[in-house]
Amino acid sequence: VHGVLCNVLDGGPILLLAAVRDLRLVVDRLDTLPAPLQICAVLHARSGPNAIYQFTLQSGDSPCAGGSLTLMQSGGLSL
């Protein structure tokens, strides 16, 4: 996500969160967890600026969520 935001701020294409798949939620709420959240995302597939990532989210050593997300280039939005 950081790389996508940096790319947009540097004049690259705007990418939209197009899909979240296979979402696994282990906790009811993220905002009440005691430790900072850690996100790990691994690129699964890419075509131009579009990409699919597998991700996990954890708080300390405890898993909180995971799944797959798809980022796609927008069709005409600009900043």
Side-chain angles (χ1 to χ4, degrees):
V1 173
H2 178 261
V4 169
L5 293 174
C6 289
N7 185 47
V8 169
L9 294 175
D10 288 340
I14 294 174
L15 300 179
L16 303 175
L17 178 59
V20 177
R21 292 191 170 91
D22 302 321
L23 182 62
R24 298 172 309 281
L25 298 173
V26 181
V27 297
D28 292 328
R29 294 182 55 159
L30 298 175
D31 61 339
T32 59
L33 297 173
L37 296 177
Q38 300 169 349
I39 301 170
C40 178
V42 177
L43 181 63
H44 182 67
R46 182 173 181 176
S47 176
N50 306 319
I52 299 173
Y53 290 89
Q54 300 295 320
F55 73 94
T56 57
L57 178 67
Q58 62 184 53
S59 176
D61 292 330
S62 301
C64 302
S68 173
L69 59 88
T70 302
L71 300 174
M72 295 185 69
Q73 185 173 356
S74 73
L77 296 177
S78 60
L79 290 178

